[in-house]
Amino acid sequence: MAADELSSPTRKRGRDEEEDEEVVDAEKRLRGEEAEGAALLGLANYEDVEEDDDAARGGANGQHEEEVPVAAAEEDEEDVRMAPVVAAEEDEDEEEDVRRSLERRPRQVELRRDCPYLDTVNRQVLDFDFEKFCSISLSNLNVYACLVCGKYFQGRGLKSHAYTHSLEAGHHVFINLQTEKAYCLPDGYEINDPSLEDIRHVLNPRFTTEQVRNLDRNKQWSRALDGSNYLPGMVGLNNIKETDFVNVTIQSLMRVTPLRNFFLIPENYRHSKSPLVHRFGELTRKIWHARNFKGQVSPHEFLQAVMKASDKRFQIGVQSDPVEFISWLLNTMHSKLKSRKRNRSIIHDCFQGELEVVKEFHRKHIVDKKEDGDEQNGDTGSDVVAETSRVPFLMLGLDLPPPPLFKDAMEKNIIPQVPLFNILKKFDGETVTEVVRPSIARMRYRVIRLPKYLILHMRRFTKNNFFVEKNPTLVNFPVKNLELKDYIPLPKPKGNEKLRSKYDLIANIVHDGKPGEGCYRVFVQRKSEEAWYEMQDLHVTETLPQMVALSEAYMQIYEQHE
């Protein structure tokens, strides 16, 4: 019993000494971490740390004047145990702040001309027609193209996919797809070498105003890397999957000179934030670029923008109508290009004309809608009410005569032919067209203002409750010198203006095959040689003007004479 009493103060003193030693060790660790943090942050060590050291050593040697109560000792022990954790958290916060401030600073990149890896660049595999997404993270931020294998990777930092690829595959030359700067990884220096200029031109084709002005005079062929020759502006477009309706529309619009010239210079539409407008501009520059690595272009990025802007109304893998597509495309691009002050754009400047529409319908349709039963419009003694309005248009739809139902003596259907001037009479202001929707009415149309570029659409497809039927009627049309004033009445020009009613064909879209299953091709004219080319996706062949007139025309674009 006495031994226990004697030993208890000894054990208590030993426990106090152990606790004091733990306190000293913890404070030493804390001071060590603070010293490391101070060394990292470039801060000076203060002298009061030494005084704390002396006090801690004195406490460790048992030089306490009073005995600390047990409860107070437990609280001190808890505070000491928490102190390293709090200090460590503060140090981590400080280190994080320092790291962020270093990241925010612009990195000093070395600029070198003598990169030893430039001979590894492989231009044969470079293809900038597809979306600029990292092949691993699928991000479109800060994407680099490997100039050795052609793949896209994100970033060039120590933990980026491009840096990892450079170490794993031994590919060292990369180009930023946005800034067009070339870098060597993993070394990290920027490459300043004129031998990479041709790659920059393919990545982002550029045109000066003088080059744009002389495009239609250029008769020179260009040579691709594989040795094939191609004509700038007459390159084939890749059919990704049933996208021939997009290809023929693009090829037709590329013949519209003011529209092409507008989109060849990006400064003209810099104010627009629409991806559709910028993708169309990029595609236009690639088609007319004379320094391409290959003789065809893939409209993949443009198709992605079309799918997004149209809410998948037009998409890859689903066949659509080029007439519907060009109507949607022109209206959408006009809405994205027009400014707040003026409701006009390059689209309306090229394609917009004006019609005078006279609509005749029976009075009973109005009487039924009245609430008070009083007559409001027209004469009281007439059953037919006529409304006259002016309507702008971007294209004119022409109705074809119905095909014959009976076969001839040779047991073959006769394919009828009709002159273009006969179906243009719809717009002479006298011919009546009966419509059922939205209500039964008799319509008369008259052209009162002709556009610079006239789009005509032959309505070959009729849809009923069961199937879609195609009208095979051939339309006979002139390739040059279509004179409209001889067939439709036109308003007299104002003042000294000249009546411009003569047009030349520049594009003719044709449908081959059954409705809903066939494919589209287009005949286009090259102005520098006045030669005609037949284009179907990647196939581009020169043809005779007589062959253009023998096709089943579906949509045509005519250019007004100056």
Side-chain angles (χ1 to χ4, degrees):
M1 183 73 178
D4 292 339
E5 289 176 357
L6 288 170
S7 62
S8 61
T10 308
R11 281 201 302 271
K12 188 174 182 181
R13 204 177 303 117
R15 189 165 62 249
D16 291 343
E17 289 176 359
E18 288 175 5
E19 290 173 357
D20 291 339
E21 287 174 1
E22 289 178 5
V23 171
V24 172
D25 292 340
E27 289 183 350
K28 283 181 179 178
R29 283 197 303 273
L30 177 60
R31 281 195 301 276
E33 291 172 357
E34 288 177 349
E36 286 180 12
L40 284 172
L41 299 172
L43 302 174
N45 292 327
Y46 292 97
E47 294 180 357
D48 56 352
V49 178
E50 296 179 0
E51 295 176 4
D52 294 341
D53 261 353
D54 295 339
R57 277 196 294 273
N61 293 331
Q63 297 173 354
H64 294 286
E65 294 181 1
E66 297 179 359
E67 190 174 336
V68 183
V70 177
E74 289 177 355
E75 290 177 4
D76 292 344
E77 184 180 351
E78 186 69 26
D79 292 341
V80 169
R81 220 180 281 121
M82 291 294 294
V85 178
V86 175
E89 289 178 355
E90 290 177 355
D91 289 343
E92 287 178 3
D93 292 341
E94 289 177 359
E95 289 175 7
E96 184 71 18
D97 293 340
V98 171
R99 187 175 61 79
R100 286 178 180 170
S101 65
L102 289 173
E103 286 179 354
R104 279 194 293 268
R105 289 179 198 163
R107 285 183 289 184
Q108 297 295 325
V109 180
E110 183 186 359
L111 191 65
R112 287 176 57 177
R113 287 176 174 268
D114 55 340
C115 178
Y117 302 109
L118 285 178
D119 60 338
T120 63
V121 174
N122 186 4
R123 288 166 172 79
Q124 300 281 353
V125 299
L126 298 183
D127 189 353
F128 300 119
D129 291 344
F130 291 90
E131 288 181 298
K132 313 296 190 290
F133 280 92
C134 173
S135 58
I136 297 176
S137 66
L138 298 181
S139 171
N140 62 349
L141 299 175
N142 200 24
V143 179
Y144 289 77
C146 174
L147 298 184
V148 182
C149 65
K151 294 180 180 178
Y152 295 167
F153 298 97
Q154 187 180 16
R156 58 184 172 88
L158 295 179
K159 297 180 180 179
S160 66
H161 299 299
Y163 190 91
T164 306
H165 176 72
S166 69
L167 294 175
E168 290 179 348
H171 299 169
H172 301 290
V173 187
F174 294 78
I175 188 169
N176 188 303
L177 297 178
Q178 191 69 32
T179 64
E180 301 176 18
K181 292 182 178 180
Y183 295 91
C184 179
L185 297 181
D187 298 346
Y189 59 83
E190 183 181 345
I191 304 170
N192 182 17
D193 195 283
S195 67
L196 300 177
E197 280 302 310
D198 61 335
I199 297 177
R200 292 190 176 97
H201 273 277
V202 173
L203 173 60
N204 185 16
R206 302 167 183 83
F207 289 86
T208 63
T209 309
E210 187 67 24
Q211 288 174 330
V212 171
R213 198 179 297 119
N214 295 326
L215 268 182
D216 288 332
R217 300 174 195 157
N218 179 34
K219 297 181 181 181
Q220 189 175 0
W221 289 66
S222 295
R223 192 175 182 85
L225 286 179
D226 60 357
S228 61
N229 295 325
Y230 69 92
L231 277 169
M234 293 289 167
V235 297
L237 293 177
N238 189 19
N239 186 345
I240 296 173
K241 190 181 179 184
E242 295 186 9
T243 56
D244 50 342
F245 71 98
V246 175
N247 293 350
V248 295
T249 303
I250 293 170
Q251 297 286 17
S252 301
L253 292 177
M254 291 300 106
R255 313 308 133 197
V256 181
T257 306
L259 185 74
R260 178 202 67 189
N261 294 351
F262 177 85
F263 280 100
L264 284 178
I265 301 177
E267 285 75 17
N268 293 333
Y269 49 93
R270 183 174 288 173
H271 66 278
S272 176
K273 297 180 181 178
S274 168
L276 179 70
V277 171
H278 289 277
R279 296 294 90 80
F280 185 80
E282 286 178 12
L283 185 58
T284 304
R285 295 198 300 277
K286 287 177 180 178
I287 289 174
W288 287 94
H289 190 46
R291 297 167 64 180
N292 285 330
F293 287 163
K294 55 189 189 305
Q296 69 268 355
V297 175
S298 177
H300 191 271
E301 281 190 287
F302 176 69
L303 284 166
Q304 293 290 340
V306 167
M307 286 173 61
K308 189 172 182 180
S310 66
D311 293 329
K312 295 191 176 180
R313 177 183 170 188
F314 305 102
Q315 54 184 322
I316 299 172
V318 180
Q319 182 70 275
S320 295
D321 191 332
V323 172
E324 292 181 14
F325 178 67
I326 196 172
S327 177
W328 172 85
L329 181 65
L330 294 180
N331 282 292
T332 305
M333 287 206 299
H334 164 70
S335 65
K336 303 298 183 184
L337 287 170
K338 67 179 182 181
S339 58
R340 294 179 181 177
K341 295 181 180 179
R342 52 194 298 266
N343 192 29
R344 293 195 66 81
S345 67
I346 186 65
I347 305 296
H348 280 190
D349 292 343
C350 291
F351 300 108
Q352 192 183 56
E354 199 169 5
L355 283 176
E356 181 183 76
V357 181
V358 179
K359 182 180 181 182
E360 296 178 353
F361 50 90
H362 290 284
R363 176 181 300 280
K364 63 179 181 180
H365 295 295
I366 299 179
V367 174
D368 291 342
K369 295 179 183 178
K370 292 179 187 175
E371 295 180 0
D372 53 358
D374 294 331
E375 295 181 354
Q376 295 175 356
N377 294 328
D379 296 330
T380 56
S382 175
D383 289 336
V384 177
V385 178
E387 288 184 354
T388 303
S389 58
R390 290 192 168 196
V391 179
F393 69 88
L394 293 178
M395 76 169 69
L396 296 177
L398 304 177
D399 301 319
L400 297 177
L405 297 175
F406 304 103
K407 296 181 180 180
D408 63 357
M410 302 296 292
E411 292 297 317
K412 292 182 179 179
N413 281 329
I414 303 170
I415 298 177
Q417 300 185 33
V418 58
L420 177 64
F421 308 111
N422 285 9
I423 56 178
L424 274 173
K425 287 180 180 178
K426 175 182 177 180
F427 300 98
D428 62 2
E430 297 177 0
T431 303
V432 174
T433 306
E434 295 186 356
V435 296
V436 179
R437 295 175 183 173
S439 60
I440 299 174
R442 292 160 58 88
M443 313 287 286
R444 293 201 305 270
Y445 306 98
R446 186 170 70 92
V447 178
I448 56 176
R449 182 165 61 84
L450 287 170
K452 293 179 183 176
Y453 290 86
L454 179 65
I455 304 178
L456 299 180
H457 155 225
M458 287 70 174
R459 292 181 172 147
R460 291 197 173 275
F461 301 105
T462 53
K463 189 182 293 185
N464 55 31
N465 293 332
F466 305 101
F467 55 88
V468 178
E469 189 177 5
K470 180 182 176 181
N471 190 329
T473 303
L474 289 178
V475 179
N476 299 323
F477 55 87
V479 174
K480 292 182 75 71
N481 299 323
L482 169 65
E483 183 58 86
L484 291 180
K485 72 177 182 181
D486 296 340
Y487 303 96
I488 57 176
L490 297 172
K492 294 181 180 180
K494 299 176 182 178
N496 296 326
E497 291 182 5
K498 182 183 176 183
L499 179 62
R500 295 178 178 175
S501 59
K502 192 175 285 188
Y503 285 83
D504 288 340
L505 183 69
I506 58 173
N508 181 37
I509 295 176
V510 178
H511 179 266
D512 297 322
K514 297 179 181 179
E517 297 179 5
C519 57
Y520 294 96
R521 55 194 171 96
V522 62
F523 295 93
V524 298
Q525 186 193 39
R526 180 172 174 81
K527 287 187 178 179
S528 61
E529 303 164 346
E530 292 194 355
W532 282 88
Y533 288 83
E534 181 184 345
M535 310 179 81
Q536 185 172 3
D537 299 330
L538 294 175
H539 303 285
V540 181
T541 54
E542 190 172 355
T543 187
L544 296 172
Q546 293 84 348
M547 298 299 296
V548 180
L550 292 176
S551 57
E552 293 182 9
Y554 184 49
M555 186 172 68
Q556 299 176 326
I557 301 180
Y558 285 87
E559 183 181 34
Q560 193 178 54
H561 280 206
E562 290 295 332

